[in-house]
Amino acid sequence: MHVWLGLLPHSVQSFQFLCSQNVISMDSISRRLKKNGTSNSENSDGRDGKAVVRRRPLTMTELLTSTSSTLATIMFAWSIIRQYCPHGLRQYLHMYLGKFIDYIYPDPYIRIAIYEFVGDRLSRNKAFAAVEAYLSNKLSDDAKRLKAEVGESKNNFSLSMDEYERVTDGYENAEFWWTLSKISGSAKKSNSLYPEPDRRYYQLKFHKKHRELVIQSYFKHVLKEGKEIKVNQRRRKLYTNGTGNRWLIHRQSTMWSEVYFEHPATFDTIGMDPEKKQEIIEDLLTFSQRKEYYAQIGKAWKRGYLLYGPPGTGKSTMIAAMANLLNYDVYDLELTAVKDNTELRKLLIETTSKSIIVIEDIDCSLELTGQRKVKKEESSKEEEKIKEKIIKEPKKEEEDMRSRVTLSGLLNFIDGIWSACGGERLIVFTTNHVEKLDPALIRRGRMDKHIELSYCNYEAFKVLAKNYLNVETHELFEEIKEVIKDAKMTPADVAENLMPKSRQEEAETSLRRLIGSLGEMKRAAEEKKKRKEEKSKESSSSQIVNDKESDD
C-alpha cells in the first residue's frame, strides 16, 4: 500500500503537467466552442485564415474534480490487487516497482533498521537496547514526541523517543538521522491464538557517502557509548543462589534470585588506616581500567581478593564499599546450596560482567580445608559401623545429600577455563581463620590480593568518630589514643559505643562510654595474659618434677 501511495505525488504532478499543456481540456474547449456557435473566421488571425484555439487554464474546481477521479481510480485498482492478486506476486511487483522508482528518482540516502527482537523473539536485541540508551542522551530541543518513565533510581524521570520521532546526531562532521518506527502486528498472519505483536525498530538514515564511516566507526561508537550509559543508569542488584524452584524469566530459567542493592557503605565510612584504604582504592580502580592490558598479557580480566580477620572487623562492609566504588553488581554465592561442580559452573556462566562474586566464611562453607591432607586410619570396627549405617539409610536421605562441590571444582571456578567467560569480575573470599584454608585455594593468581582487617586503631577511630558523632577533634582523643592501642576492640564494637543512645546525648558521653569499654577490654586482656603465663609456669614446673621422677 505504501508503495502505491508513494506514487500519488508523481501522478498528481503528471496530471498537472497534462493540464498545463491542455491535453486533457481540448475536448471540453471544443464542446464549449460548438455550443457557443463560434466559427473559425471569428478566431482567425487574418493572415493565413487558420483557426487558432484560445487556451484557457483549468479552474480550481475542475482540477480538484480530475484529481479526485484519478485518486479514486488508483484506490480502486489497489483494492482489487490486494483482494485478487497473490501475495507472492504482490511482493514481486513491490520489489521491482521500487527498483524502477529508484532508477527514475535515485535516492542518495541509505537506511538501516535495528529491530527490537531477533531470532525467535525470545531474546531482546542488545544493539536495540544500546541504541535506545545512546539516543536518550541525544534528545535535541526540537524533539516534540517523548516518553517519560520513572527511572530505576525512582528519584527522577527518564526521557526516551516516542514512536515516529526523529533525532539528529552528528559524528565526525557527518549527520545521521534516527527514527523509532514500528510494524503493526496482524492477527491473521499469526498461527497462535494470540495476535502478532507490533515490531519496533530504529531506522538509521545517512548519506551514501558516509557508508564506510558508519560501518567502520560510527556503529562501534554508538554501541560503546550506549552500553556505558546503560551500565551507569542501571540500578545495581544483589543476587543469591538457592535450592528452591528456579525463577522463570522470558521462558528461560535462571539459578539466581535478585533484589536491588542499596547498601550505603563507602570507603569514606570504613574505619581503617587511611594509607591502607587508599592502597585498596588504587588497586580496584587500576583493575577496572585495564581491559586492554589484561588482553595484552593473555590473562582473564578478573581479580581475586581475600579478606581475613576476626569477626566484626568489617569484611562484609568492605565488599559493599568495593561494589559502590566500581558500580558493580554483587553475587552472594552460597556453596552449601550448590549440588555439585557442574551446577557451580552453571552459576558462574550466568553471572554478568562488572560484578563481584562473594563467598563469605569460606572456611565454614564446605569441607575444603582437609581434602589434601592424609586422613587418619580408622579402626575396623568404626568402618563396619559406618557401612551398616549407610545400608540402613533410606533412599530419601540419599537424595538429600549435602553439597558435593570439591576443592578441584572450586579451583576451576576461580581460575579455570570457564572463569574467562565474561570479564571485569572480582572474586572475593572472606574468612575468620585464614590458617585453615588450603594453600592452593589462596595462592597468588587465585586470590591476588590479601587484605587483613584487624582490630581498630587510633586512625580508624577518628574516621568512626567523624561518621557517628561528626567530631574531628576533642579533648578526650588523647586519652583514647593511649588506651586503644593496648585494647583489642573491633571497629564494630567501637561504632556501637560511639552511636548515641538518645537524641539528647552529646558527643562527650559517647566518647567516655568508649573509654570505659576500652579500659574493661584492656584489663580483661591483661588478666587473660596473666592467667596464661601462670598456666605455662605450672606446666613447666610439673614437667620438671616429672623429669626428676623419671631420672630417679
Side-chain angles (χ1 to χ4, degrees):
M1 179 65 183
H2 61 279
V3 176
W4 291 98
L5 293 178
L7 294 175
L8 292 181
H10 305 298
S11 301
V12 174
Q13 292 175 2
S14 301
F15 181 77
Q16 292 174 347
F17 174 78
L18 294 174
C19 292
S20 64
Q21 300 298 324
N22 281 330
V23 175
I24 297 177
S25 60
M26 289 297 296
D27 293 339
S28 61
I29 294 175
S30 299
R31 287 194 300 269
R32 194 176 293 112
L33 290 174
K34 290 179 180 180
K35 183 178 180 181
N36 296 331
T38 306
S39 62
N40 294 338
S41 61
E42 294 176 349
N43 296 313
S44 175
D45 57 1
R47 289 177 296 180
D48 53 0
K50 294 182 179 180
V52 178
V53 179
R54 296 178 180 177
R55 299 175 181 178
R56 183 182 61 83
L58 292 178
T59 63
M60 182 61 65
T61 303
E62 293 173 342
L63 181 61
L64 291 176
T65 303
S66 301
T67 304
S68 301
S69 176
T70 305
L71 291 175
T73 304
I74 293 175
M75 296 296 293
F76 176 76
W78 172 245
S79 62
I80 295 298
I81 292 174
R82 288 199 61 183
Q83 185 172 0
Y84 297 103
C85 184
H87 180 68
L89 181 59
R90 290 205 308 269
Q91 288 185 336
Y92 182 83
L93 293 174
H94 179 276
M95 179 179 63
Y96 282 96
L97 185 59
K99 291 183 178 179
F100 177 74
I101 294 174
D102 290 339
Y103 179 77
I104 298 176
Y105 301 101
D107 189 0
Y109 294 97
I110 298 176
R111 295 167 179 84
I112 298 177
I114 302 176
Y115 288 90
E116 183 175 10
F117 292 96
V118 293
D120 54 1
R121 294 181 58 83
L122 294 180
S123 59
R124 197 166 186 254
N125 190 355
K126 294 181 179 179
F128 184 91
V131 171
E132 187 175 38
Y134 175 79
L135 294 179
S136 65
N137 279 8
K138 299 292 181 179
L139 297 177
S140 56
D141 296 335
D142 58 348
K144 299 297 188 297
R145 292 184 296 274
L146 303 175
K147 290 189 299 183
E149 298 175 350
V150 178
E152 291 189 346
S153 62
K154 296 184 179 180
N155 295 326
N156 53 6
F157 283 95
S158 61
L159 297 178
S160 59
M161 293 173 57
D162 198 2
E163 294 172 353
Y164 305 110
E165 182 58 68
R166 189 174 76 169
V167 171
T168 303
D169 184 27
Y171 178 76
E172 293 188 3
N173 298 324
E175 278 194 345
F176 303 92
W177 297 274
W178 290 94
T179 306
L180 177 60
S181 305
K182 71 174 181 180
I183 300 176
S184 300
S186 175
K188 296 181 180 179
K189 296 181 181 180
S190 178
N191 296 326
S192 63
L193 298 177
Y194 301 97
E196 183 180 353
D198 297 339
R199 298 179 61 192
R200 296 195 306 162
Y201 65 93
Y202 281 105
Q203 185 183 76
L204 172 62
K205 179 182 175 182
F206 57 93
H207 198 278
K208 61 183 180 181
K209 66 181 179 181
H210 303 310
R211 184 189 186 99
E212 294 298 325
L213 177 64
V214 171
I215 296 175
Q216 295 180 2
S217 62
Y218 182 66
F219 267 146
K220 296 178 182 179
H221 165 74
V222 171
L223 293 178
K224 181 181 178 181
E225 293 291 330
K227 289 179 180 179
E228 291 179 357
I229 294 172
K230 190 176 180 181
V231 168
N232 294 330
Q233 291 180 348
R234 86 189 193 285
R235 194 173 177 186
R236 291 177 297 117
K237 295 180 180 180
L238 172 63
Y239 298 84
T240 185
N241 62 307
T243 56
N245 295 329
R246 308 304 183 195
W247 299 86
L248 295 178
I249 301 177
H250 300 298
R251 300 182 182 179
Q252 295 180 356
S253 62
T254 177
M255 306 182 73
W256 296 97
S257 55
E258 63 190 51
V259 295
Y260 288 120
F261 182 77
E262 297 177 343
H263 201 292
T266 63
F267 277 94
D268 293 334
T269 61
I270 290 181
M272 65 183 303
D273 184 77
E275 293 183 0
K276 189 174 183 180
K277 185 191 302 185
Q278 188 61 34
E279 178 187 347
I280 298 172
I281 293 174
E282 289 296 330
D283 188 84
L284 291 168
L285 295 178
T286 301
F287 165 78
S288 65
Q289 300 169 4
R290 300 296 291 274
K291 179 180 180 180
E292 293 78 9
Y293 176 76
Y294 275 84
Q296 178 184 346
I297 63 177
K299 187 176 180 180
W301 193 16
K302 64 178 184 59
R303 188 164 177 80
Y305 289 83
L306 175 66
L307 309 181
Y308 64 96
T313 53
K315 294 182 287 295
S316 299
T317 306
M318 172 67 72
I319 295 171
M322 294 166 68
N324 288 329
L325 175 68
L326 299 177
N327 199 25
Y328 282 6
D329 295 322
V330 178
Y331 289 84
D332 185 12
L333 178 60
E334 179 58 49
L335 282 180
T336 56
V338 182
K339 184 174 64 176
D340 51 24
N341 294 337
T342 302
E343 186 170 310
L344 181 64
R345 191 181 304 119
K346 291 179 180 178
L347 287 167
L348 174 64
I349 294 173
E350 291 187 6
T351 59
T352 61
S353 59
K354 292 185 177 294
S355 62
I356 302 177
I357 302 175
V358 180
I359 303 179
E360 292 196 280
D361 297 325
I362 191 171
D363 55 306
C364 303
S365 297
L366 292 174
E367 293 294 334
L368 300 174
T369 57
Q371 291 187 8
R372 291 176 178 262
K373 299 179 181 180
V374 179
K375 297 182 179 180
K376 296 181 180 179
E377 296 181 357
E378 299 178 350
S379 61
S380 57
K381 293 183 179 181
E382 291 177 350
E383 291 179 355
E384 291 177 0
K385 291 180 180 180
I386 294 174
K387 291 179 181 179
E388 292 177 359
K389 185 177 180 180
I390 293 175
I391 295 173
K392 293 180 180 180
E393 283 180 348
K395 294 183 179 180
K396 290 184 179 180
E397 294 185 2
E398 293 180 359
E399 295 177 356
D400 297 333
M401 292 176 63
R402 61 181 182 178
S403 175
R404 295 193 297 271
V405 176
T406 63
L407 178 61
S408 174
L410 186 59
L411 296 180
N412 290 329
F413 174 86
I414 298 172
D415 67 344
I417 297 177
W418 288 94
S419 66
C421 63
E424 198 172 357
R425 287 196 190 97
L426 298 180
I427 301 176
V428 181
F429 290 169
T430 69
T431 180
N432 297 333
H433 307 283
V434 66
E435 68 278 357
K436 292 184 179 180
L437 298 179
D438 194 296
L441 186 64
I442 60 176
R443 68 166 177 81
R444 307 293 179 178
R446 288 177 177 142
M447 292 293 105
D448 303 286
K449 189 171 183 63
H450 296 189
I451 301 174
E452 181 182 6
L453 301 176
S454 187
Y455 297 106
C456 186
N457 56 20
Y458 179 67
E459 297 297 332
F461 156 74
K462 290 197 296 184
V463 175
L464 295 175
K466 178 66 172 62
N467 294 336
Y468 284 83
L469 302 176
N470 198 21
V471 174
E472 296 184 0
T473 58
H474 197 274
E475 58 183 8
L476 296 176
F477 276 21
E478 290 298 326
E479 184 177 354
I480 294 174
K481 183 177 181 180
E482 294 298 326
V483 181
I484 199 171
K485 61 183 180 181
D486 297 325
K488 293 183 178 181
M489 181 177 284
T490 63
D493 293 330
V494 173
E496 180 61 28
N497 282 279
L498 291 177
M499 185 176 294
K501 301 302 185 288
S502 67
R503 290 175 293 178
Q504 293 79 20
E505 186 174 298
E506 296 181 355
E508 184 175 352
T509 305
S510 300
L511 293 175
R512 292 194 180 278
R513 181 170 54 245
L514 175 61
I515 292 173
S517 299
L518 290 171
E520 291 178 2
M521 293 194 70
K522 183 178 179 180
R523 288 191 294 270
E526 291 175 352
E527 291 177 0
K528 184 178 180 180
K529 182 179 180 181
K530 185 176 180 180
R531 287 196 301 268
K532 187 176 181 180
E533 291 176 353
E534 292 176 354
K535 188 176 180 180
S536 62
K537 288 180 181 179
E538 291 177 0
S539 61
S540 61
S541 60
S542 61
Q543 183 67 28
I544 293 173
V545 173
N546 292 333
D547 292 341
K548 288 182 179 180
E549 291 178 355
S550 61
D551 292 339
D552 294 339

